[in-house]
Amino acid sequence: MTLEKKHISAAIILIAAAVISIITGRQFLAKHYPETFYPSPGLTRTGKLSDYFSGLQGTENDSRVYFFEGEEEGSTVLLLGGTHPNEAASGLVAVLVLENVEVTVGRLIVIPRANRSGFTVNDPMEAHPQYYSIPTPNGERRFKYGSRLTSPLDQWPDPLVYSHRPSGQRLSGFETRNLNRAYPGRPDGSLTEKTAYGIVQLIKKENVNVAFDLHEAAPEIPIINAIVYHEKAEEVALNAIFELEMEGISVSPELSPSNFHGLSHREWGDYTDVYPFLMETSNPIQGRLRGETSAELIVEGVSPEYRMALESGALQIAYKETGEPIERRVARHVTCFRRVIEAYNQLGNKPVILENLPEYEDILQNGVGAYIVAGK
Amino acid sequence: MILYWIYIVITAFIFIMLMMEFWKEDDWRKQIAIAMVMVVFILRILQIR
């Protein structure tokens, strides 16, 4: 066999393809390495979601669960971050809380990465970055930026129509991978349904009294800068929102629709004894009007296109002239989280006392990086 | 799970077909075009995602 010219070029091109495969392969694999968190000294134990539902063992969504237990008995609070891994403030608030909080009365349970599978990929056709960085006094800390949905490589294929169980509600097929359309979940369902089932089992077995699911949404979405609550938690929600308004933090109260199924604020409340709250902030990178899509947009939240939309007055959007920086979004979530717990305590329930969490103005002035450990 | 392995087998089959075309191809520009497609299939077969 003689070596032809075409074989020489083929060999060179094949080597180049192999090099590209190695480089890109390493980048894809890096998205699977677990992020490192640095819990505060108040941490008493850790667990995994598979402790509550063994069907999650060995899957991407066997997420770590962090427990902070006070010396005095009180109520139990659950804080869920990363339900939608493309909503950066959600996961970041959970990290900030678990790296600072001290619990003196009651218990706090934190799941910073509720849908870990979603952190291993990005949404297709969105040009989203794989990571974003938060500056801290000791250097930058990098966080994963993921997809709204469970990775299709962990749950595939999508049905044409997603039929929610047990309600029978029908949604677009891709919603089968949306954790916040899967509650109360099923032990023999898809990975997303199993994850939802595991979280509901945790709420039941740990006798959780108050639960938070943190989110972000595009500036043009109507339910934004809002607290969505189940009807049984209305008094707590409205008391908290009253306090927040008195502080100058505008928050919309949104009652969970009784006929919209699969969402945490509906199904946690219907299937368990918990008081559920879902909180939303405004994140321009999720919006349809955004221009250049970059890690800076996640952190700084400045979009000239949204500014034009704001100035036009033609749209009802949650976007300020200075943008929607991560500091303000995190500050809103942390403050809303605190005020809801304070309202819950004031209404005569067994208390939960959380200490060492920054106030709204502290986060705005010092930045989020002042309250998280620098990456190693 | 069986669907997943069917997917991998189909991917491997297409990759072999691409490889055969790649070696037969005389034009280096077309070889580059085939190689660009092959990168995706290599990652899929190695289950790097």
Side-chain angles (χ1 to χ4, degrees), chain A residues 161-286:
Chain A
V161 175
Y162 164 49
S163 183
H164 171 261
R165 310 286 180 85
S167 72
Q169 170 186 271
R170 302 179 82 182
L171 294 167
S172 298
F174 69 87
E175 295 284 18
T176 192
R177 289 182 285 117
N178 184 344
L179 179 57
N180 203 29
R181 299 293 181 277
Y183 294 110
R186 289 190 298 157
D188 56 349
S190 65
L191 177 64
T192 312
E193 286 175 310
K194 285 178 180 175
T195 309
Y197 182 78
I199 291 167
V200 168
Q201 293 310 301
L202 180 149
I203 291 171
K204 286 179 177 173
K205 288 178 186 168
E206 296 293 345
N207 296 315
V208 176
N209 303 101
V210 185
F212 296 87
D213 186 14
L214 304 182
H215 286 261
E216 293 201 282
E220 62 269 27
I221 300 293
I223 298 176
I224 211 144
N225 291 335
I227 297 178
V228 190
Y229 56 88
H230 192 274
E231 58 268 15
K232 67 185 178 185
E234 185 165 50
E235 196 177 6
V236 176
L238 296 184
N239 272 279
I241 290 169
F242 179 76
E243 286 294 328
L244 289 159
E245 292 283 345
M246 293 291 282
E247 292 175 43
I249 303 169
S250 183
V251 178
S252 304
E254 301 284 348
L255 179 63
S256 170
S258 61
N259 57 353
F260 191 9
H261 291 283
L263 292 103
S264 54
H265 51 74
R266 169 51 43 200
E267 309 297 357
W268 288 358
D270 284 355
Y271 285 88
T272 73
D273 295 329
V274 80
Y275 282 5
F277 299 93
L278 182 148
M279 305 195 299
E280 295 272 10
T281 54
S282 173
N283 184 4
I285 201 170
Q286 293 177 248

Side-chain angles (χ1 to χ4, degrees), chain A residues 125-136:
Chain A
M125 310 298 285
E126 294 285 350
H128 283 162
Q130 289 184 307
Y131 304 93
Y132 64 96
S133 294
I134 300 292
T136 77

Side-chain angles (χ1 to χ4, degrees), chain A residues 25 54 67 183 204 209 306 347-348 357:
Chain A
S54 59
F67 292 82
Y183 294 110
K204 286 179 177 173
N209 303 101
Y306 271 104
L347 288 168
L357 291 179

Side-chain angles (χ1 to χ4, degrees), chain A residues 14-193:
Chain A
L14 207 58
I15 290 167
V19 171
I20 292 167
S21 298
I22 291 167
I23 294 169
T24 51
R26 282 169 61 92
Q27 287 182 359
F28 283 126
L29 284 174
K31 290 281 278 182
H32 289 267
Y33 300 144
E35 290 172 286
T36 306
F37 303 128
Y38 309 93
S40 78
L43 181 79
T44 46
R45 64 190 168 102
T46 63
K48 286 191 155 187
L49 268 185
S50 58
D51 298 341
Y52 302 91
F53 172 49
S54 59
L56 287 170
Q57 206 158 26
T59 70
E60 195 74 58
N61 275 2
D62 190 7
S63 298
R64 182 74 67 186
V65 183
Y66 298 82
F67 292 82
F68 299 84
E69 296 157 315
E71 289 185 359
E72 279 185 56
E73 203 179 305
S75 291
T76 300
V77 170
L78 170 67
L79 177 64
L80 211 65
T83 292
H84 293 151
N86 63 332
E87 299 168 11
S90 160
L92 194 53
V93 168
V95 172
L96 183 148
V97 169
L98 84 83
E99 294 190 357
N100 288 275
V101 75
E102 299 286 338
V103 179
T104 52
V105 181
R107 297 194 306 160
L108 171 67
I109 303 170
V110 182
I111 306 177
R113 299 289 182 256
N115 188 358
R116 280 201 336 174
S117 168
F119 281 92
T120 63
V121 288
N122 287 107
D123 286 321
M125 310 298 285
E126 294 285 350
H128 283 162
Q130 289 184 307
Y131 304 93
Y132 64 96
S133 294
I134 300 292
T136 77
N138 300 310
E140 291 207 326
R141 176 150 170 202
R142 198 171 73 154
F143 292 94
K144 286 182 191 173
Y145 189 74
S147 162
R148 176 180 174 81
L149 308 169
T150 301
S151 168
L153 295 155
D154 291 321
Q155 184 182 319
W156 179 85
D158 291 345
L160 284 176
V161 175
Y162 164 49
S163 183
H164 171 261
R165 310 286 180 85
S167 72
Q169 170 186 271
R170 302 179 82 182
L171 294 167
S172 298
F174 69 87
E175 295 284 18
T176 192
R177 289 182 285 117
N178 184 344
L179 179 57
N180 203 29
R181 299 293 181 277
Y183 294 110
R186 289 190 298 157
D188 56 349
S190 65
L191 177 64
T192 312
E193 286 175 310

